[in-house]
């Protein structure tokens, strides 16, 4: 690591590879600057996972400059001016100065190469990302007051917000994301432009929006990011199920609305994440997003009862369907969709047994239905308790403690995660002397139900049970 000179925060440094690359470009007669997030993070005391550079050199000149120095190089997007470089363990990106904008009816930016670093910085999303470190001299270039805005904790744009968001509407999502990740307050004029231009987000691909949403949800303060999305109208386009919660009263009037309750559940779920060695390492997008979406079925299932109460029957099932549909629209992978929607569907399961005590049968079904999402379900269910009634909160917490104890107790005896029927399909066909077909499936289901209700049997007992069943079904 190379320490930075006076004028930078104490202890600020950059990897040796940054200086090496600057010297390579200087020898080739080209400018090079470290730019964007890595420079911003120097002032935040954060380590940046990416090293991004900008230069006046064209893509062909970039490849020529690093020839013989780089272990490998490739086009990340030559049309966008970006070349990827690998040197040892480092992967770097170098991009030609540029400006870009979206056509009003297009999802793809129109790219034009620029001629100066200042011009390149002007087209960047926010002032805190419009700073550069010239290499190898370490001269800070900050024409738009990025350091000032970082110290003030405010998010502004180098050009007008309208120009910035016209260039790339995804920047509106980034504003919400930076509120969640960095704790920055979105400037009033930026919020106003986001509200006015939110509909422009429709031209951005679902994949790009998804990437920003994941970073937001996994940020240090996802609640702040969701609030920005809802207050500016971005959520009406990206996650319309969330602002809809503001119109649905909580059935116990404990919260201002179900929206606030959902944000609190998401915060509490994040607090229950584990370290890297635990069962739910944080930040965990699936757990947090399931917590945010767990009550999205309430608006469609709200019913006013004769006594003045409000009910939301089956909102868990409806919410799971809505969650699945929204995640599909945002092009999430199948596993994330399955896991998240399953958690939403099961988040009320605990309350169906809470006052009855946990029979062995109920425990088996709970664990089997949760499958590989059991640890996340534990955390989601505990997080869903937001009552201010301390006595009630303690009672629910103790009830869930009891459930987890019952799961551990049965787990030791029966390997709950691997519950199968007493006999497999081949044994069923052999014992009943029947070919493959629907009858085998019905016998299999009968044995699985018996296993759930009564626990494991010895093989001889299971065979006797199956023969008894077959007398009424063959």
């Amino acid at each position: 690591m190379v320490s930075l000179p006076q004028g930078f925060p104490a202890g600020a440094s950059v990897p040796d590879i940054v200086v090496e690359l600057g010297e390579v470009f200087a020898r080739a007669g080209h400018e090079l600057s470290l730019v964007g997030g890595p420079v911003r993070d120097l002032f935040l005391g954060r380590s940046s996972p990416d090293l991004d550079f900008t230069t006046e050199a064209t893509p062909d000149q970039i490849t020529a400059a690093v020839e013989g120095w780089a272990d490998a190089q490739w086009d990340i997007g030559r049309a966008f001016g970006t070349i990827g470089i690998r040197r040892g363990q480092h992967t770097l990106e170098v991009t030609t100065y540029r400006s870009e904008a979206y056509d009003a009816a297009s999802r793809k930016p129109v790219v034009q190469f620029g001629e100066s670093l200042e011009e390149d910085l002007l087209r960047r999303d926010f002032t805190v990302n419009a700073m550069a470190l010239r290499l190898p001299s370490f001269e800070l270039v900050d024409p738009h007051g990025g350091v000032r805005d970082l110290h003030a904790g405010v998010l502004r744009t180098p050009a007008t917000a309208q120009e910035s968001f016209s260039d790339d509407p995804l920047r509106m999502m980034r504003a919400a994301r930076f509120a969640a990740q960095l704790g920055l307050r979105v400037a009033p004029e930026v919020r106003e432009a986001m509200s006015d231009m939110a509909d422009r987000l429709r031209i951005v691909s679902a994949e790009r929006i998804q990437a920003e949403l994941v970073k937001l949800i996994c940020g240090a303060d996802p609640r702040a990011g969701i609030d920005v999305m809802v207050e500016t109208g971005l959520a009406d386009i990206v996650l319309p199920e969330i602002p809809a919660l503001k119109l649905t009263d909580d059935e116990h009037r404990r919260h201002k609305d179900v929206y606030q309750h959902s944000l609190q559940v998401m915060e509490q779920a994040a607090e229950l994440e584990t370290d890297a060695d635990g069962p739910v390492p944080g930040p965990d997008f699936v757990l947090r997003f399931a917590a945010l979406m767990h009550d999205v079925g309430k608006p469609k299932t709200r019913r006013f009862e004769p006594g003045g109460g409000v009910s939301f029957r089956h909102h868990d099932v409806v919410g799971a369907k809505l969650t699945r549909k929204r995640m599909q629209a945002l092009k999430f992978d199948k596993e994330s969709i399955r896991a998240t929607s399953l958690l939403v569907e099961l988040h009320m399961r605990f309350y169906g047994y809470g006052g009855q005590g946990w029979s062995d049968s109920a425990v088996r079904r709970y664990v089997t239905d949760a499958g590989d999402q059991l640890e996340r379900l534990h955390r989601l269910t505990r997080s869903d308790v937001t009552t201010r009634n301390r006595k009630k909160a303690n009672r629910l917490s103790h009830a869930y403690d009891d459930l987890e104890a019952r799961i551990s107790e049965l787990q030791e005896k029966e390997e709950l995660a691997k519950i199968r029927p007493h006999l497999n399909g081949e044994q069923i066909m052999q014992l009943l002397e029947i070919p493959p077909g629907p009858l085998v499936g019905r016998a299999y289901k009968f044995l699985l139900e018996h296993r759930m209700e009564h626990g494991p049997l010895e093989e001889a007992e299971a065979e006797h049970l199956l023969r008894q069943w077959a007398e009424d079904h063959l």
Side-chain angles (χ1 to χ4, degrees):
M1 300 293 286
V2 178
S3 297
L4 296 180
Q6 190 174 4
F8 289 89
S13 61
V14 295
D16 294 344
I17 193 72
V18 171
V19 180
E20 287 183 36
L21 186 60
E23 292 171 344
V24 166
F25 271 72
R27 287 195 296 270
H30 296 299
E31 299 176 3
L32 186 75
S33 297
L34 184 68
V35 71
V39 181
R40 176 200 68 217
D41 288 345
L42 288 173
F43 290 92
L44 292 175
R46 291 162 39 112
S47 59
S48 183
D50 303 311
L51 294 175
D52 298 325
F53 301 85
T54 189
T55 177
E56 98 293 349
T58 65
D60 287 341
Q61 290 172 327
I62 293 171
T63 57
V66 300
E67 185 69 34
W69 178 82
D71 296 329
Q73 54 179 292
W74 58 94
D75 290 354
I76 292 178
R78 182 172 289 269
F80 296 91
T82 303
I83 301 296
I85 299 169
R86 181 171 57 80
R87 166 84 170 180
Q89 298 179 357
H90 297 280
T91 299
L92 317 170
E93 291 186 10
V94 181
T95 301
T96 306
Y97 297 153
R98 70 190 187 192
S99 60
E100 63 185 35
Y102 275 77
D103 181 88
S106 173
R107 292 176 180 267
K108 296 182 179 180
V110 178
V111 177
Q112 294 179 328
F113 293 152
E115 297 181 355
S116 70
L117 176 59
E118 288 74 17
E119 181 184 10
D120 183 85
L121 295 179
L122 179 63
R123 65 104 190 157
R124 292 184 177 267
D125 54 3
F126 301 104
T127 60
V128 297
N129 293 331
M131 299 184 287
L133 196 64
R134 289 190 187 275
L135 300 170
S137 66
F138 294 145
E139 175 194 352
L140 177 66
V141 182
D142 182 17
H144 306 290
V147 173
R148 174 202 64 207
D149 287 344
L150 272 181
H151 288 318
V154 66
L155 199 64
R156 302 184 192 277
T157 54
T160 68
Q162 288 80 1
E163 289 176 304
S164 182
F165 299 150
S166 290
D167 285 349
D168 184 354
L170 186 68
R171 290 173 175 176
M172 293 184 283
M173 278 293 295
R174 287 192 194 132
R177 189 244 292 183
F178 286 132
Q181 279 189 330
L182 305 178
L184 298 177
R185 174 177 49 85
V186 181
E189 69 275 12
V190 177
R191 276 182 178 264
E192 183 178 356
M194 291 168 69
S195 297
D196 292 343
M197 302 176 67
D199 201 59
R200 284 275 287 158
L201 200 57
R202 296 186 191 278
I203 72 169
V204 181
S205 70
E207 290 83 357
R208 295 184 73 210
I209 291 174
Q210 178 215 114
E212 289 297 326
L213 180 63
V214 170
K215 291 175 184 177
L216 185 159
I217 296 296
C218 292
D221 186 7
R223 182 178 194 142
I226 295 297
D227 269 336
V228 169
M229 288 183 64
V230 170
E231 291 165 8
T232 59
L234 297 184
D236 292 332
I237 296 162
V238 178
L239 288 175
E241 297 82 5
I242 299 306
L245 294 175
K246 294 175 73 71
L247 305 176
T248 307
D249 286 340
D250 180 285
E251 64 264 42
H252 301 299
R253 303 292 198 272
R254 294 175 308 203
H255 306 277
K256 182 178 179 181
D257 49 43
V258 181
Y259 170 72
Q260 293 296 336
H261 164 73
S262 298
L263 293 183
Q264 185 176 348
V265 173
M266 178 175 63
E267 287 182 317
Q268 293 179 172
E271 292 172 0
L272 294 178
E273 293 167 344
T274 65
D275 59 22
D277 297 326
V280 185
D284 187 271
F285 172 79
V286 168
L287 173 61
R288 295 183 183 198
F289 196 57
L292 177 65
M293 300 289 283
H294 78 286
D295 275 348
V296 295
K298 283 190 170 182
K300 286 194 173 185
T301 59
R302 180 172 60 170
R303 298 290 181 272
F304 295 100
E305 303 297 339
V310 181
S311 67
F312 302 96
R313 293 186 182 90
H314 307 302
H315 77 271
D316 44 358
V317 176
V318 172
K321 292 179 180 178
L322 291 172
T323 299
R324 186 179 302 109
K325 183 178 180 180
R326 180 55 50 198
M327 294 183 75
Q328 288 170 342
L330 289 170
K331 306 298 184 183
F332 277 92
D333 62 279
K334 291 181 180 179
E335 175 53 28
S336 295
I337 295 172
R338 180 196 69 83
T340 308
S341 57
L342 178 63
L343 289 169
V344 173
E345 183 176 352
L346 296 180
H347 82 272
M348 291 294 293
R349 187 68 59 88
F350 163 72
Y351 298 97
Y353 293 100
Q356 305 172 18
W358 284 86
S359 66
D360 288 355
S361 172
V363 172
R364 292 187 194 102
R365 292 182 185 280
Y366 192 85
V367 173
T368 301
D369 289 347
D372 59 354
Q373 298 306 307
L374 181 62
E375 290 292 342
R376 284 176 171 142
L377 182 58
H378 287 334
R379 286 155 178 79
L380 175 58
T381 305
R382 288 185 180 277
S383 301
D384 197 19
V385 178
T386 58
T387 176
R388 295 180 184 142
N389 184 324
R390 181 53 51 192
K391 185 175 180 180
K392 182 177 181 180
N394 288 337
R395 176 169 54 80
L396 289 170
S397 178
H398 292 322
Y400 207 85
D401 289 342
D402 178 61
L403 169 59
E404 290 203 61
R406 295 284 293 111
I407 290 173
S408 296
E409 179 184 330
L410 272 186
Q411 193 75 269
E412 291 181 8
K413 297 178 182 177
E414 301 183 16
E415 293 187 281
L416 293 184
K418 300 177 181 178
I419 284 183
R420 298 290 184 274
H422 308 300
L423 303 172
N424 61 34
E426 186 175 334
Q427 290 172 305
I428 291 171
M429 289 187 289
Q430 183 176 357
L431 184 68
L432 300 184
E433 298 180 349
I434 58 175
L439 188 60
V440 178
R442 291 199 293 273
Y444 186 94
K445 183 178 180 181
F446 163 74
L447 291 175
L448 179 59
E449 286 292 321
H450 190 279
R451 170 74 171 82
M452 288 285 189
E453 289 293 332
H454 304 287
L457 293 176
E458 295 294 335
E459 185 172 334
E461 294 177 292
E463 290 177 352
H464 177 69
L465 179 68
L466 181 61
R467 288 192 179 95
Q468 287 184 315
W469 176 86
E471 289 177 4
D472 297 325
H473 294 83
L474 285 184

